[in-house]
Amino acid sequence: MIVGFQNGLIEAYNMQGKYLYNVTLHTRSILSIQWFNTGGFLALDSSGYLTLNYNNGTLALNYTFPATGNTLLGMTFSVLNNIETIYLGLIYSTNII
């Protein structure tokens, strides 16, 4: 299990609840974590900072999405060819008048 916190901390546990490791790459509230069947995970925080991590928590890639003026709420994704191609969708809030 991967758990994200408001302070940006990410912790990993096995299925028996035993603590495995933490990831301290983020400094803002974790909005979404997506696990890959092939191992590893994506984590997105409220500032738009996205990390792709190996299954041991080590950073593989990172990217910060530009600010849009709207509140970032989360993400969704699809993977093709065993993580060779990732399609990522960001979810924003907008004000409807």
Side-chain angles (χ1 to χ4, degrees):
M1 293 186 294
I2 303 290
V3 180
F5 297 92
Q6 288 183 336
N7 66 359
L9 179 66
I10 296 171
E11 292 183 344
Y13 297 86
N14 68 16
M15 294 309 291
Q16 290 73 41
K18 180 183 176 204
Y19 172 82
L20 299 174
Y21 60 84
N22 69 26
V23 178
T24 58
L25 299 169
H26 296 265
T27 59
R28 303 286 293 275
S29 179
I30 301 299
L31 297 178
S32 187
I33 298 173
Q34 303 288 332
W35 184 262
F36 294 105
N37 291 339
T38 56
F41 60 93
L42 285 170
L44 177 69
D45 71 24
S46 61
S47 71
Y49 182 57
L50 177 78
T51 58
L52 174 62
N53 303 278
Y54 296 109
N55 60 358
N56 65 359
T58 304
L59 179 67
L61 297 168
N62 65 342
Y63 181 78
T64 300
F65 291 96
T68 66
N70 294 316
T71 303
L72 183 59
L73 298 176
M75 69 176 167
T76 183
F77 80 105
S78 295
V79 177
L80 296 175
N81 304 325
N82 283 334
I83 208 167
E84 183 177 309
T85 304
I86 301 172
Y87 293 99
L88 182 67
L90 298 180
I91 303 166
Y92 288 92
S93 71
T94 57
N95 293 332
I96 300 172
I97 298 173

XYZ file of all heavy atoms in Angstrom:
761
model
N 0.842 -1.170 0.000
C 0.000 0.000 0.000
C 0.888 1.234 0.000
O 1.931 1.249 0.634
C -0.882 0.033 1.242
C -1.928 -1.051 1.293
S -3.052 -0.871 2.685
C -1.944 -1.133 4.060
N 0.420 2.238 -0.732
C 1.102 3.530 -0.776
C 0.128 4.568 -0.216
O -1.013 4.648 -0.661
C 1.507 3.908 -2.217
C 2.389 2.832 -2.856
C 2.179 5.261 -2.260
C 3.765 2.731 -2.263
N 0.587 5.371 0.751
C -0.264 6.362 1.404
C 0.389 7.731 1.257
O 1.578 7.887 1.524
C -0.434 6.027 2.902
C -1.319 7.042 3.591
C -0.966 4.611 3.085
N -0.405 8.739 0.833
C 0.090 10.103 0.708
C -0.537 10.992 1.767
O -1.700 10.810 2.135
N 0.218 11.977 2.243
C -0.217 12.846 3.325
C -0.248 14.310 2.894
O 0.336 14.677 1.877
C 0.714 12.687 4.536
C 0.686 11.311 5.122
C 1.577 10.335 4.705
C -0.250 10.981 6.090
C 1.552 9.062 5.249
C -0.284 9.702 6.643
C 0.609 8.744 6.217
N -0.886 15.151 3.695
C -1.006 16.570 3.385
C 0.328 17.301 3.385
O 0.485 18.305 2.710
C -1.965 17.256 4.359
C -3.404 16.881 4.114
C -4.337 17.632 5.048
O -3.954 18.079 6.123
N -5.582 17.759 4.620
N 1.310 16.807 4.110
C 2.622 17.460 4.138
C 3.542 16.997 3.014
O 4.703 17.383 2.968
C 3.300 17.248 5.495
C 3.642 15.797 5.761
O 3.378 14.910 4.960
N 4.238 15.553 6.919
N 3.032 16.147 2.096
C 3.819 15.671 0.965
C 4.518 14.341 1.192
O 5.073 13.764 0.258
N 4.503 13.851 2.402
C 5.134 12.574 2.703
C 4.353 11.430 2.059
O 3.124 11.451 2.029
C 5.187 12.352 4.217
C 5.807 11.037 4.696
C 7.296 10.997 4.365
C 5.574 10.863 6.181
N 5.071 10.445 1.544
C 4.472 9.220 1.011
C 5.094 8.057 1.773
O 6.318 8.002 1.936
C 4.742 9.073 -0.497
C 4.077 10.214 -1.263
C 4.266 7.715 -1.011
C 4.460 10.277 -2.725
N 4.259 7.144 2.257
C 4.743 5.962 2.972
C 4.245 4.699 2.286
O 3.122 4.672 1.771
C 4.286 5.974 4.428
C 4.915 7.068 5.246
C 4.515 7.041 6.704
O 3.524 6.367 7.061
O 5.202 7.701 7.497
N 5.066 3.667 2.314
C 4.710 2.373 1.729
C 4.625 1.319 2.833
O 5.445 1.310 3.760
C 5.752 1.950 0.702
N 3.616 0.464 2.709
C 3.386 -0.626 3.660
C 3.125 -1.908 2.873
O 2.605 -1.864 1.766
C 2.154 -0.331 4.533
C 2.312 0.878 5.396
C 2.014 2.150 4.913
C 2.765 0.767 6.699
C 2.165 3.273 5.705
C 2.914 1.890 7.501
C 2.614 3.138 6.996
O 2.766 4.248 7.784
N 3.460 -3.046 3.470
C 3.081 -4.301 2.828
C 1.624 -4.605 3.172
O 0.990 -3.869 3.932
C 4.030 -5.451 3.193
C 3.937 -5.875 4.644
O 2.985 -5.559 5.362
N 4.945 -6.601 5.088
N 1.074 -5.664 2.641
C -0.346 -5.961 2.834
C -0.670 -6.414 4.259
O -1.832 -6.497 4.625
C -0.815 -7.008 1.818
C -0.785 -6.485 0.387
S -1.636 -4.903 0.178
C -3.320 -5.392 0.420
N 0.330 -6.663 5.077
C 0.112 -6.971 6.485
C 0.219 -5.712 7.352
O 0.118 -5.777 8.570
C 1.115 -8.029 6.971
C 0.890 -9.413 6.395
C 1.294 -9.516 4.937
O 2.315 -8.977 4.518
N 0.476 -10.203 4.157
N 0.438 -4.551 6.726
C 0.522 -3.293 7.449
C 1.897 -2.945 7.967
O 2.066 -1.960 8.675
N 2.918 -3.723 7.586
C 4.281 -3.430 8.042
C 4.868 -2.292 7.206
O 4.841 -2.316 5.980
C 5.165 -4.674 7.909
C 6.591 -4.432 8.357
C 7.469 -5.641 8.155
C 8.886 -5.299 8.533
N 9.857 -6.154 7.885
N 5.405 -1.283 7.894
C 6.044 -0.140 7.242
C 7.240 -0.612 6.416
O 8.070 -1.385 6.906
C 6.481 0.870 8.303
C 7.313 1.998 7.765
C 6.719 3.087 7.157
C 8.696 1.968 7.871
C 7.480 4.133 6.658
C 9.470 2.995 7.382
C 8.859 4.079 6.768
O 9.608 5.095 6.274
N 7.357 -0.130 5.168
C 8.474 -0.504 4.302
C 9.454 0.650 4.078
O 10.643 0.501 4.266
C 7.954 -1.006 2.954
C 7.058 -2.236 2.997
C 6.491 -2.534 1.626
C 7.837 -3.428 3.543
N 8.947 1.807 3.636
C 9.811 2.957 3.364
C 8.965 4.212 3.209
O 7.747 4.143 3.117
C 10.664 2.741 2.099
C 9.859 2.525 0.837
C 9.372 3.605 0.094
C 9.579 1.240 0.377
C 8.631 3.412 -1.051
C 8.847 1.038 -0.773
C 8.386 2.135 -1.487
O 7.659 1.944 -2.627
N 9.641 5.380 3.169
C 8.934 6.617 2.865
C 9.619 7.331 1.711
O 10.765 7.046 1.382
C 8.786 7.521 4.093
C 10.085 8.104 4.568
O 11.034 8.270 3.823
N 10.153 8.420 5.843
N 8.879 8.247 1.101
C 9.376 9.060 -0.005
C 9.140 10.510 0.389
O 8.016 10.889 0.726
C 8.633 8.724 -1.320
C 9.101 9.604 -2.452
C 8.806 7.254 -1.676
N 10.194 11.324 0.342
C 10.087 12.717 0.785
C 10.365 13.697 -0.354
O 10.944 14.752 -0.153
C 11.062 12.980 1.948
O 12.395 12.676 1.498
C 10.726 12.146 3.161
N 9.929 13.360 -1.557
C 10.173 14.205 -2.729
C 9.192 15.364 -2.840
O 9.476 16.356 -3.497
C 10.085 13.360 -4.005
C 11.091 12.213 -4.116
C 10.730 11.307 -5.279
C 12.492 12.769 -4.268
N 8.037 15.254 -2.226
C 6.992 16.274 -2.328
C 6.944 17.113 -1.059
O 7.235 16.631 0.027
C 5.625 15.600 -2.535
C 5.522 14.853 -3.821
N 4.995 15.410 -4.958
C 5.882 13.596 -4.152
C 5.025 14.526 -5.937
N 5.567 13.413 -5.467
N 6.543 18.379 -1.215
C 6.401 19.257 -0.063
C 4.981 19.795 0.082
O 4.694 20.531 1.017
C 7.367 20.454 -0.156
O 7.091 21.172 -1.362
C 8.811 19.990 -0.140
N 4.097 19.436 -0.841
C 2.702 19.869 -0.801
C 1.803 18.643 -0.655
O 2.237 17.506 -0.836
C 2.338 20.628 -2.085
C 3.205 21.844 -2.374
C 2.930 23.043 -1.488
N 1.643 23.661 -1.687
C 1.356 24.562 -2.594
N 2.282 24.971 -3.441
N 0.142 25.070 -2.666
N 0.536 18.881 -0.396
C -0.441 17.821 -0.172
C -0.507 16.850 -1.359
O -0.625 17.271 -2.507
C -1.815 18.461 0.048
O -2.789 17.487 0.254
N -0.429 15.552 -1.072
C -0.522 14.529 -2.122
C -1.980 14.404 -2.541
O -2.854 14.149 -1.711
C 0.016 13.166 -1.624
C 1.476 13.294 -1.188
C -0.146 12.100 -2.702
C 2.442 13.720 -2.270
N -2.239 14.608 -3.835
C -3.606 14.536 -4.363
C -3.947 13.157 -4.898
O -5.074 12.702 -4.779
C -3.788 15.556 -5.488
C -3.630 17.018 -5.118
C -3.798 17.876 -6.361
C -4.623 17.401 -4.046
N -2.971 12.515 -5.519
C -3.264 11.247 -6.178
C -1.997 10.404 -6.279
O -0.911 10.938 -6.507
C -3.821 11.522 -7.581
O -4.255 10.349 -8.194
N -2.176 9.109 -6.098
C -1.098 8.133 -6.298
C -1.670 7.027 -7.171
O -2.750 6.513 -6.886
C -0.592 7.544 -4.961
C -0.011 8.645 -4.073
C 0.449 6.465 -5.221
C 0.355 8.180 -2.681
N -0.951 6.678 -8.215
C -1.387 5.616 -9.123
C -0.285 4.560 -9.197
O 0.860 4.875 -9.500
C -1.644 6.185 -10.530
C -2.649 7.299 -10.560
C -4.061 6.821 -10.325
O -4.405 5.687 -10.621
N -4.875 7.694 -9.789
N -0.627 3.320 -8.913
C 0.317 2.202 -8.903
C 0.309 1.506 -10.257
O -0.736 1.357 -10.875
C -0.072 1.210 -7.809
C 0.899 0.093 -7.664
C 0.803 -1.160 -8.179
C 2.139 0.125 -6.960
N 1.904 -1.899 -7.837
C 2.742 -1.126 -7.091
C 2.793 1.127 -6.226
C 3.969 -1.428 -6.516
C 4.017 0.810 -5.662
C 4.583 -0.447 -5.804
N 1.462 1.074 -10.731
C 1.585 0.319 -11.978
C 1.685 -1.164 -11.676
O 2.357 -1.555 -10.720
C 2.845 0.726 -12.752
C 2.807 2.130 -13.242
C 3.560 3.114 -12.626
C 2.010 2.482 -14.318
C 3.534 4.418 -13.078
C 1.971 3.785 -14.777
C 2.737 4.749 -14.145
N 1.051 -1.988 -12.489
C 1.136 -3.442 -12.321
C 2.566 -3.938 -12.466
O 2.937 -4.949 -11.875
C 0.242 -4.161 -13.328
C -1.225 -3.946 -13.027
O -1.583 -3.612 -11.909
N -2.052 -4.127 -14.022
N 3.371 -3.252 -13.247
C 4.753 -3.672 -13.465
C 5.690 -3.164 -12.367
O 6.877 -3.424 -12.415
C 5.255 -3.146 -14.825
O 5.090 -1.729 -14.857
C 4.489 -3.782 -15.967
N 5.139 -2.460 -11.383
C 5.946 -1.929 -10.282
C 6.169 -0.441 -10.453
O 6.297 0.054 -11.559
N 6.167 0.266 -9.380
C 6.357 1.701 -9.407
C 5.042 2.440 -9.310
O 3.972 1.849 -9.383
N 5.148 3.760 -9.135
C 3.935 4.560 -8.982
C 4.166 6.002 -9.400
O 5.287 6.497 -9.401
C 3.431 4.501 -7.538
C 4.395 5.000 -6.497
C 4.355 6.321 -6.077
C 5.349 4.156 -5.946
C 5.242 6.789 -5.125
C 6.244 4.608 -4.985
C 6.186 5.928 -4.571
N 3.070 6.649 -9.780
C 3.030 8.081 -10.037
C 2.459 8.762 -8.802
O 1.529 8.243 -8.192
C 2.093 8.402 -11.204
C 2.555 8.109 -12.607
C 1.387 8.276 -13.574
C 3.693 9.041 -12.988
N 2.989 9.914 -8.437
C 2.435 10.696 -7.332
C 2.321 12.143 -7.786
O 3.264 12.697 -8.361
C 3.322 10.593 -6.098
N 1.167 12.747 -7.520
C 0.903 14.135 -7.884
C 0.556 14.918 -6.630
O -0.272 14.479 -5.831
C -0.267 14.206 -8.866
C -0.723 15.590 -9.299
C 0.336 16.266 -10.178
C -2.052 15.506 -10.032
N 1.193 16.092 -6.464
C 0.837 16.923 -5.314
C 0.076 18.165 -5.766
O -0.090 18.412 -6.962
C 2.049 17.246 -4.441
C 3.040 18.223 -5.041
O 2.668 19.035 -5.919
O 4.205 18.200 -4.619
N -0.395 18.954 -4.802
C -1.272 20.085 -5.090
C -0.593 21.216 -5.851
O -1.269 22.072 -6.403
C -1.883 20.617 -3.792
O -0.866 21.062 -2.921
N 0.723 21.235 -5.910
C 1.439 22.265 -6.669
C 1.604 21.892 -8.138
O 2.105 22.688 -8.924
C 2.819 22.525 -6.055
O 3.686 21.434 -6.295
N 1.200 20.670 -8.517
C 1.392 20.208 -9.889
C 2.681 19.448 -10.096
O 3.063 19.133 -11.219
N 3.368 19.126 -9.012
C 4.621 18.355 -9.099
C 4.271 16.871 -9.202
O 3.594 16.313 -8.338
C 5.488 18.633 -7.868
C 6.818 17.934 -7.868
C 7.731 18.115 -8.903
C 7.172 17.094 -6.829
C 8.960 17.481 -8.893
C 8.401 16.463 -6.798
C 9.290 16.652 -7.843
O 10.499 16.014 -7.826
N 4.743 16.241 -10.276
C 4.480 14.832 -10.554
C 5.789 14.057 -10.492
O 6.804 14.499 -11.050
C 3.873 14.688 -11.951
C 3.609 13.273 -12.429
C 2.333 12.737 -11.784
C 3.488 13.236 -13.936
N 5.776 12.926 -9.790
C 6.958 12.065 -9.766
C 6.576 10.666 -10.240
O 5.486 10.176 -9.953
C 7.573 11.955 -8.361
O 6.603 11.444 -7.448
C 8.098 13.291 -7.884
N 7.464 10.053 -10.992
C 7.372 8.649 -11.364
C 8.452 7.950 -10.553
O 9.631 8.297 -10.641
C 7.605 8.455 -12.859
C 7.686 7.022 -13.355
C 6.375 6.277 -13.094
C 8.041 6.979 -14.830
N 8.035 7.008 -9.726
C 8.946 6.350 -8.796
C 9.000 4.848 -9.075
O 7.984 4.258 -9.443
C 8.458 6.561 -7.357
C 8.335 8.021 -7.017
O 9.301 8.668 -6.685
N 7.123 8.540 -7.131
N 10.169 4.266 -8.905
C 10.289 2.816 -8.960
C 9.556 2.219 -7.758
O 9.213 2.931 -6.812
C 11.756 2.390 -8.944
C 12.521 2.844 -10.157
C 13.479 3.844 -10.052
C 12.274 2.297 -11.411
C 14.190 4.282 -11.160
C 12.979 2.723 -12.530
C 13.933 3.718 -12.391
O 14.621 4.150 -13.487
N 9.335 0.917 -7.756
C 8.567 0.304 -6.665
C 9.272 0.368 -5.311
O 8.667 0.108 -4.295
C 8.135 -1.118 -7.001
C 9.291 -2.030 -7.275
O 10.444 -1.618 -7.248
N 9.004 -3.275 -7.558
N 10.529 0.751 -5.262
C 11.207 0.938 -3.972
C 11.184 2.402 -3.533
O 11.788 2.758 -2.527
C 12.642 0.425 -4.039
C 13.508 1.218 -4.991
O 13.066 2.160 -5.635
N 14.763 0.820 -5.098
N 10.493 3.268 -4.296
C 10.369 4.676 -3.954
C 11.392 5.591 -4.591
O 11.276 6.808 -4.516
N 12.411 5.034 -5.228
C 13.441 5.837 -5.874
C 12.855 6.601 -7.053
O 12.084 6.054 -7.839
C 14.598 4.935 -6.366
O 15.103 4.199 -5.264
C 15.714 5.751 -6.984
N 13.235 7.857 -7.194
C 12.742 8.705 -8.271
C 13.255 8.236 -9.624
O 14.450 8.024 -9.803
C 13.174 10.158 -8.025
C 12.752 11.175 -9.070
C 11.232 11.339 -9.061
C 13.443 12.507 -8.810
N 12.348 8.095 -10.591
C 12.722 7.763 -11.970
C 12.654 9.017 -12.839
O 13.595 9.325 -13.564
C 11.820 6.681 -12.530
N 11.534 9.743 -12.761
C 11.329 10.977 -13.527
C 10.485 11.931 -12.708
O 9.725 11.504 -11.838
C 10.575 10.677 -14.836
C 11.247 9.774 -15.851
C 10.247 9.373 -16.923
C 12.426 10.478 -16.489
N 10.586 13.232 -13.025
C 9.700 14.198 -12.376
C 9.361 15.317 -13.353
O 10.066 15.541 -14.333
C 10.307 14.743 -11.092
C 11.555 15.543 -11.337
O 12.172 15.454 -12.378
N 11.955 16.323 -10.365
N 8.257 16.005 -13.071
C 7.814 17.114 -13.906
C 6.887 17.992 -13.071
O 6.114 17.475 -12.265
C 7.063 16.597 -15.138
C 6.604 17.692 -16.065
C 7.506 18.304 -16.930
C 5.292 18.127 -16.063
C 7.102 19.316 -17.774
C 4.877 19.146 -16.905
C 5.783 19.732 -17.760
O 5.388 20.735 -18.595
N 6.968 19.305 -13.277
C 6.047 20.224 -12.628
C 5.169 20.844 -13.702
O 5.675 21.475 -14.632
C 6.789 21.333 -11.861
O 7.618 20.718 -10.863
C 5.821 22.280 -11.185
N 3.860 20.642 -13.580
C 2.920 21.219 -14.525
C 2.782 22.710 -14.254
O 2.749 23.131 -13.101
C 1.550 20.527 -14.423
C 1.583 19.121 -14.921
C 1.752 18.074 -14.041
C 1.468 18.842 -16.271
C 1.798 16.767 -14.492
C 1.517 17.541 -16.740
C 1.683 16.507 -15.848
N 2.677 23.521 -15.313
C 2.520 24.966 -15.117
C 1.203 25.293 -14.417
O 0.201 24.601 -14.611
C 2.515 25.531 -16.545
C 2.953 24.422 -17.439
C 2.753 23.144 -16.700
N 1.206 26.354 -13.630
C -0.007 26.797 -12.950
C -1.020 27.283 -13.981
O -0.656 27.910 -14.972
C 0.326 27.907 -11.969
N -2.297 26.987 -13.738
C -3.358 27.393 -14.669
C -4.297 28.420 -14.053
O -5.147 28.954 -14.752
C -4.208 26.181 -15.081
O -4.908 25.698 -13.931
C -3.365 25.083 -15.685
N -4.180 28.667 -12.768
C -5.118 29.547 -12.083
C -6.308 28.791 -11.518
O -7.098 29.337 -10.768
N -6.460 27.519 -11.890
C -7.517 26.665 -11.356
C -6.923 25.721 -10.320
O -5.730 25.436 -10.339
C -8.181 25.854 -12.463
C -8.938 26.739 -13.428
O -9.641 27.641 -13.018
N -8.779 26.487 -14.711
N -7.757 25.221 -9.438
C -7.306 24.304 -8.395
C -7.128 22.905 -8.960
O -8.039 22.346 -9.565
C -8.324 24.268 -7.240
O -8.495 25.593 -6.746
C -7.846 23.355 -6.120
N -5.946 22.340 -8.786
C -5.661 20.974 -9.214
C -6.262 20.004 -8.208
O -6.034 20.127 -7.005
C -4.150 20.780 -9.316
C -3.634 19.448 -9.821
C -4.159 19.137 -11.223
C -2.103 19.463 -9.833
N -7.052 19.045 -8.696
C -7.744 18.106 -7.808
C -7.178 16.685 -7.843
O -7.298 15.953 -6.880
C -9.228 18.044 -8.163
C -10.005 19.339 -8.025
C -11.428 19.151 -8.512
C -9.988 19.815 -6.589
N -6.606 16.272 -8.958
C -6.110 14.906 -9.055
C -5.701 14.550 -10.463
O -5.514 15.420 -11.316
N -5.574 13.239 -10.731
C -5.158 12.773 -12.057
C -5.767 11.412 -12.348
O -6.236 10.710 -11.460
C -3.641 12.688 -12.149
C -3.017 11.593 -11.312
S -1.244 11.493 -11.558
C -0.793 10.441 -10.189
N -5.730 11.064 -13.612
C -6.075 9.733 -14.076
C -5.059 9.370 -15.148
O -4.432 10.256 -15.737
C -7.521 9.682 -14.611
O -7.837 8.352 -14.985
C -7.703 10.616 -15.794
N -4.853 8.078 -15.407
C -3.858 7.719 -16.413
C -4.160 6.368 -17.041
O -4.924 5.566 -16.509
C -2.453 7.719 -15.816
C -2.116 6.486 -15.028
C -1.274 5.536 -15.564
C -2.624 6.278 -13.762
C -0.954 4.399 -14.845
C -2.314 5.150 -13.037
C -1.475 4.197 -13.587
N -3.536 6.166 -18.191
C -3.551 4.876 -18.879
C -2.124 4.549 -19.279
O -1.335 5.450 -19.577
C -4.413 4.926 -20.142
O -5.744 5.151 -19.813
N -1.791 3.266 -19.289
C -0.436 2.823 -19.617
C -0.496 1.848 -20.788
O -1.353 0.968 -20.828
C 0.212 2.125 -18.400
C 1.586 1.595 -18.763
C 0.297 3.075 -17.229
N 0.416 2.015 -21.721
C 0.555 1.087 -22.846
C 1.960 0.507 -22.851
O 2.912 1.166 -22.434
C 0.313 1.812 -24.175
C -1.082 2.374 -24.399
C -1.109 3.167 -25.698
C -2.108 1.268 -24.433
N 2.095 -0.701 -23.343
C 3.405 -1.339 -23.550
C 4.271 -1.370 -22.297
O 5.427 -0.972 -22.315
C 4.160 -0.657 -24.691
C 3.386 -0.648 -25.969
O 2.651 -1.591 -26.274
N 3.507 0.415 -26.741
N 3.689 -1.847 -21.191
C 4.456 -1.988 -19.936
C 5.182 -0.707 -19.541
O 6.381 -0.697 -19.337
C 5.451 -3.152 -20.016
C 4.759 -4.476 -19.854
O 3.704 -4.543 -19.236
N 5.330 -5.513 -20.412
N 4.433 0.369 -19.449
C 4.895 1.689 -19.005
C 5.749 2.423 -20.039
O 6.307 3.468 -19.754
C 5.611 1.628 -17.631
C 5.469 2.942 -16.886
C 7.062 1.248 -17.729
C 5.841 2.905 -15.436
N 5.827 1.915 -21.247
C 6.555 2.626 -22.298
C 5.847 3.932 -22.669
O 6.475 4.944 -22.933
C 6.690 1.748 -23.540
C 7.484 2.370 -24.651
C 7.632 1.423 -25.817
O 8.042 0.264 -25.598
O 7.334 1.840 -26.934
N 4.520 3.905 -22.674
C 3.720 5.089 -22.985
C 2.703 5.315 -21.871
O 1.967 4.401 -21.510
C 2.969 4.906 -24.325
O 3.918 4.618 -25.350
C 2.195 6.159 -24.683
N 2.669 6.526 -21.346
C 1.725 6.891 -20.291
C 0.881 8.052 -20.786
O 1.417 9.077 -21.218
C 2.443 7.309 -18.991
C 3.318 6.189 -18.458
C 1.435 7.755 -17.942
C 4.197 6.593 -17.299
N -0.435 7.881 -20.745
C -1.366 8.969 -21.029
C -1.900 9.462 -19.693
O -2.482 8.704 -18.940
C -2.512 8.495 -21.920
C -2.055 8.116 -23.305
C -1.838 6.785 -23.642
C -1.823 9.098 -24.261
C -1.413 6.436 -24.913
C -1.393 8.756 -25.531
C -1.186 7.421 -25.848
O -0.764 7.087 -27.106
N -1.685 10.737 -19.426
C -2.022 11.303 -18.131
C -3.059 12.396 -18.309
O -2.931 13.247 -19.183
C -0.749 11.887 -17.495
C -0.845 12.484 -16.123
C -1.146 11.404 -15.104
C 0.454 13.177 -15.764
N -4.103 12.354 -17.492
C -5.113 13.401 -17.487
C -5.140 14.074 -16.132
O -5.195 13.408 -15.102
N -5.067 15.404 -16.119
C -5.141 16.157 -14.874
C -6.572 16.635 -14.665
O -7.259 16.985 -15.615
C -4.195 17.355 -14.908
C -2.717 17.022 -15.054
C -1.899 18.297 -15.071
C -2.242 16.111 -13.946
N -7.008 16.656 -13.438
C -8.363 17.059 -13.085
C -8.270 18.386 -12.324
O -7.651 18.467 -11.274
C -9.045 15.985 -12.209
C -9.032 14.646 -12.948
C -10.460 16.417 -11.839
C -9.367 13.458 -12.068
N -8.893 19.418 -12.908
C -8.901 20.755 -12.314
C -10.320 21.160 -11.963
O -11.270 20.712 -12.579
C -8.349 21.791 -13.298
C -6.874 21.719 -13.528
C -6.348 20.957 -14.551
C -5.990 22.436 -12.726
C -4.969 20.905 -14.784
C -4.611 22.390 -12.940
C -4.117 21.613 -13.974
O -2.783 21.579 -14.185
N -10.456 22.061 -11.013
C -11.754 22.668 -10.728
C -11.839 23.985 -11.480
O -10.831 24.639 -11.733
C -11.947 22.913 -9.232
O -11.113 23.970 -8.815
N -13.043 24.352 -11.850
C -13.255 25.652 -12.490
C -14.467 26.297 -11.860
O -15.350 25.621 -11.331
C -13.485 25.513 -14.004
O -14.603 24.647 -14.215
C -12.276 24.948 -14.704
N -14.514 27.587 -11.910
C -15.678 28.316 -11.408
C -16.679 28.465 -12.542
O -16.340 28.952 -13.619
C -15.280 29.691 -10.900
C -14.403 29.612 -9.670
O -14.501 28.653 -8.917
N -13.553 30.598 -9.470
N -17.895 28.029 -12.311
C -18.951 28.165 -13.297
C -19.879 29.266 -12.836
O -20.420 29.211 -11.737
C -19.708 26.843 -13.472
C -18.744 25.757 -13.935
C -20.857 27.014 -14.452
C -19.337 24.386 -13.963
N -20.059 30.258 -13.679
C -20.894 31.407 -13.306
C -22.210 31.342 -14.057
O -22.257 31.111 -15.224
C -20.165 32.730 -13.605
C -18.898 32.790 -12.780
C -21.065 33.923 -13.318
C -17.989 33.950 -13.099
